Amino acid sequence: MGRTRVNLQPIRGRVRTGLPALLLGAALLLTTACGGGGGDNGNGNGSGGDNAGGGGKTGTEASKAVVSVKPDDGSKEVATSGVLKITSTGGKLTTVTVADTKGNAVEGKLADDGASWEPARHLASATEYKVHAVAKDEAGRESAKDTTFTTLTPTNTFIGHYTPEDGATVGVGMPVSINFTRGITNPEAVEKAITVTAEPAVPVEGHWFGNDRLDFRPEKYWAAGTKVTVKLALDGVEGRPGVYGKQTRTVTFTIGRSQISTVDASSKQMQVVRDGQVLKNIPITAGAPSTTTYNGQMVISEKYKVTRMNGATVGFGGEYDIPDVPHAMRLSNSGTFVHGNYWASAGTFGSENVSHGCVGLRDVRGGGNGDVPAAWFYNESLIGDVVVVKNSKDKQIAPDNGLNGWNMDWAEWIK
């Protein structure tokens, strides 16, 4: 910088005492301002110099924390699981939000050391997601990153057909049963995407029958009045290589009163117990000696006011074909029913076992008489009620033959 010139003009009039000192002070001030001398720089320490020239810390340094997001910003056809991960080096993640364009947030877990975040579940397919992540370094300085990516659109998909229906009131034996449209080779991922909760709370566990059916139940029958909620979050789950779930659904149902009916094939009687009290004893006919009725706990899965029963459909050839069986309630997939019987004499019930494996109750053709035992039992029964058969000279029914998982010990069920 060049010299600073000070022009001292003559002052007319009286010259006050001390004026030379005042002018000298002004000259020194100008010289100091231009020369960058060592006076107080305004920070209170009087050290001036380098700090006054802007060479020291100003509080605007970049954060040492660096946020990284996988997949890269703008990525397309991203896999619905195993790809999304957010990390930080030089600092800890403090905020992570991942949400679709409708604002639905993705649950995730932040590592204990704050260095990484991963989603708790799979992502939905064919969905755009926005990521916002913030990390902070040791000095408290923040660094943020925002990205967008879109998940894949699957060519092959599956869904689960479930029972019971949404809003239903069912018996205490009703499991949640889901049959998938494709065989599942990644059962862990599929089961993780389904939650079954009860109110009042009770542990509920799932069990696979083969690779296309998953049932849920508690250890013992549901308590009467229980509210059950089933959440299917299958959209985006890779159930088998290249085959993805295409279903997001919440189903609720209610457990009604408790009704458990016990059929004694030896005494040929059925006792109906509701909420712990005997409601009625009904004479029955069970399976004949050559076509005995299964033993075990069976759940009513379907009800028909009138239905056709053809022996050819269940391995009995042309032994029978009855077009109008009244008050029929299914107990197994293999053709076991409790139903009305109008073709046997009234004296048969309670004295002989003559059926092809079903439990028969006295009825009239067409089922129009509401006073007969079959009509009464039909009207008093819910889907999900339990019918227990004992003292039959047959084996116990298989747990997957109908909704009959209660015939499996709890220890085996939860394996």
Side-chain angles (χ1 to χ4, degrees):
M1 187 172 190
R3 293 182 180 178
T4 302
R5 254 179 167 180
V6 180
N7 245 340
L8 301 179
Q9 298 296 332
I11 300 176
R12 294 182 173 85
R14 295 179 63 185
V15 178
R16 302 189 179 196
T17 304
L19 181 57
L22 177 62
L23 293 175
L24 177 60
L28 288 172
L29 178 61
L30 288 171
T31 302
T32 300
C34 293
D40 190 340
N41 66 357
N43 63 8
N45 60 18
S47 60
D50 291 339
N51 286 348
K57 295 181 179 179
T58 63
T60 60
E61 289 86 351
S63 173
K64 292 181 179 179
V66 178
V67 179
S68 299
V69 178
K70 288 295 181 183
D72 296 334
D73 187 31
S75 295
K76 308 290 185 184
E77 294 296 308
V78 173
T80 55
S81 61
V83 176
L84 177 59
K85 188 171 184 179
I86 301 165
T87 58
S88 174
T89 57
K92 295 184 177 182
L93 292 165
T94 57
T95 299
V96 176
T97 58
V98 181
D100 62 21
T101 53
K102 296 180 181 179
N104 299 311
V106 175
E107 275 185 56
K109 183 179 181 181
L110 185 64
D112 292 339
D113 60 3
S116 63
W117 180 98
E118 292 184 352
R121 295 179 178 272
H122 66 281
L123 305 176
S125 60
T127 302
E128 181 180 278
Y129 287 96
K130 295 183 182 297
V131 178
H132 174 66
V134 179
K136 188 181 290 187
D137 67 12
E138 290 184 351
R141 294 168 297 199
E142 292 185 334
S143 175
K145 189 158 189 176
D146 292 272
T147 65
T148 300
F149 66 91
T150 304
T151 53
L152 57 82
T153 300
T155 301
N156 299 305
T157 61
F158 72 90
I159 63 170
H161 295 295
Y162 54 84
T163 190
E165 294 296 320
D166 187 30
T169 297
V170 296
V172 297
M174 190 70 195
V176 175
S177 186
I178 304 168
N179 288 271
F180 299 101
T181 55
R182 299 288 295 270
I184 301 300
T185 60
N186 189 2
E188 294 83 4
V190 172
E191 188 169 345
K192 185 179 179 181
I194 302 171
T195 57
V196 181
T197 55
E199 184 183 345
V202 62
V204 181
E205 298 289 342
H207 184 86
W208 286 88
F209 293 112
N211 66 359
D212 59 358
R213 175 179 165 186
L214 174 62
D215 284 13
F216 291 86
R217 69 168 177 91
E219 182 175 1
K220 299 179 180 179
Y221 299 143
W222 304 100
T226 299
K227 308 291 184 183
V228 183
T229 300
V230 183
K231 292 185 177 180
L232 302 171
L234 294 171
D235 186 6
V237 177
E238 192 172 16
R240 60 183 300 130
V243 182
Y244 293 83
K246 190 184 179 182
Q247 190 177 29
T248 301
R249 187 76 189 270
T250 297
V251 177
T252 60
F253 61 93
T254 302
I255 306 302
R257 79 291 175 276
S258 170
Q259 183 167 299
I260 300 171
S261 304
T262 301
V263 172
D264 188 330
S266 178
S267 67
K268 305 167 189 65
Q269 297 288 322
M270 179 172 71
Q271 185 175 83
V272 182
V273 176
R274 180 176 294 177
D275 296 326
Q277 301 296 317
V278 176
L279 205 60
K280 199 161 192 168
N281 288 292
I282 303 174
I284 61 93
T285 181
S290 60
T291 54
T292 49
T293 305
Y294 287 125
N295 287 294
Q297 304 167 75
M298 305 182 215
V299 174
I300 296 173
S301 59
E302 295 175 320
K303 293 180 67 178
Y304 301 97
K305 193 83 173 181
V306 177
T307 191
R308 178 185 178 186
M309 291 189 176
N310 187 341
T313 64
V314 289
F316 288 115
E319 292 186 32
Y320 63 88
D321 186 1
I322 306 169
D324 56 353
V325 177
H327 300 122
M329 292 178 281
R330 181 182 290 278
L331 301 179
S332 78
N333 294 339
S334 60
T336 309
F337 281 77
V338 54
H339 62 77
N341 180 328
Y342 64 80
W343 51 92
S345 66
T348 302
F349 305 95
S351 62
E352 295 182 74
N353 287 330
V354 299
S355 82
H356 283 77
C358 292
V359 177
L361 311 179
R362 184 169 60 84
D363 209 335
V364 296
R365 190 164 195 168
N369 185 348
D371 295 329
V372 294
W376 179 88
F377 187 63
Y378 182 92
N379 292 332
E380 294 294 329
S381 296
L382 294 173
I383 286 177
D385 281 350
V386 180
V387 176
V388 181
V389 177
K390 66 179 185 178
N391 296 327
S392 175
K393 295 180 180 180
D394 204 330
K395 61 185 178 182
Q396 179 172 285
I397 192 167
D400 61 344
N401 187 359
L403 303 177
N404 299 324
W406 303 104
N407 296 285
M408 181 180 289
D409 290 340
W410 184 245
E412 182 69 19
W413 182 271
I414 62 177
K415 277 186 181 179

